[in-house]
Amino acid sequence: MTGRVCGIFTAEVAAQEMMESPECRLLANIGIAGDRYAKRIGRWSDRPKTEHQISFIELEVLHQIYDETGVVLTPRETRRNIVTYGVRLNDFLGQTIRVGENALVYVEKLNHPCRYLERLIDKKVMDRLLGRSGLNCQVISGGIVHLGDRIERIL
């Protein structure tokens, strides 16, 4: 089961608009270099958890939400770090995945959407994201991740 990276997003501080990049550097047990959570100034940084190091969401979910509701939820608006396509992320729960050539990420939990996101983007999407809001993960082994890189389960 493999997919691809189709979006990479970070924000330097909490509530700041996510910035898109063609690549990022994952830092073991820290997160994405330059991102708010790696710098310990993200929304939940007062309650540090390894699951806040990096997050993922499927592009297909954004298309499904549009098909169901007509609401356009862009990859940037999801506030997830890595947007994927071609893989069902929920199937990775509790497993280690490789992102790119050598970065390893442990999938700790399913992401739970919140009203905070709705307030930031001014769109009613929380209910539509339930059960498919992506993954919260820990970076086990760092590396560079590029757009188009493979995402695959480590067996």
Side-chain angles (χ1 to χ4, degrees):
M1 182 170 33
T2 63
R4 296 281 179 181
V5 174
C6 67
I8 299 171
F9 297 89
T10 58
E12 291 185 7
V13 297
Q16 178 185 47
E17 182 176 347
M18 301 290 280
M19 303 306 294
E20 188 169 12
S21 300
E23 66 180 30
C24 67
R25 177 181 297 279
L26 301 189
L27 306 171
N29 296 307
I30 295 173
I32 299 176
D35 187 61
R36 64 209 185 276
Y37 286 104
K39 293 167 38 175
R40 308 241 189 266
I41 54 175
R43 169 100 167 124
W44 309 110
S45 291
D46 61 335
R47 293 165 264 175
K49 294 182 180 180
T50 54
E51 70 193 41
H52 293 155
Q53 292 177 5
I54 187 170
S55 59
F56 293 76
I57 194 166
E58 299 168 31
L59 183 62
E60 292 89 345
V61 166
L62 309 184
H63 293 169
Q64 290 167 1
I65 289 172
Y66 177 76
D67 290 345
E68 294 165 5
T69 66
V71 172
V72 175
L73 180 59
T74 69
R76 181 186 313 270
E77 290 173 322
T78 67
R79 303 201 56 78
R80 304 296 176 262
N81 300 119
I82 305 287
V83 180
T84 69
Y85 70 91
V87 67
R88 176 129 170 82
L89 293 175
N90 287 10
D91 292 345
F92 291 145
L93 185 61
Q95 299 177 32
T96 300
I97 58 176
R98 178 180 291 116
V99 184
E101 288 190 30
N102 53 15
L104 299 178
V105 172
Y106 177 70
V107 180
E108 290 199 21
K109 64 178 268 191
L110 299 179
N111 180 279
H112 297 287
C114 62
R115 299 280 178 221
Y116 176 69
L117 174 65
E118 288 187 336
R119 288 191 305 271
L120 282 178
I121 65 172
D122 196 30
K123 294 181 182 180
K124 300 285 185 196
V125 294
M126 183 179 140
D127 293 339
R128 291 295 175 172
L129 285 169
L130 288 172
R132 55 186 181 173
S133 186
L135 305 174
N136 289 4
C137 306
Q138 177 185 12
V139 179
I140 302 298
S141 174
I144 304 293
V145 174
H146 303 89
L147 289 176
D149 277 354
R150 291 171 57 111
I151 299 167
E152 58 191 345
R153 177 187 353 240
I154 300 300
L155 300 176

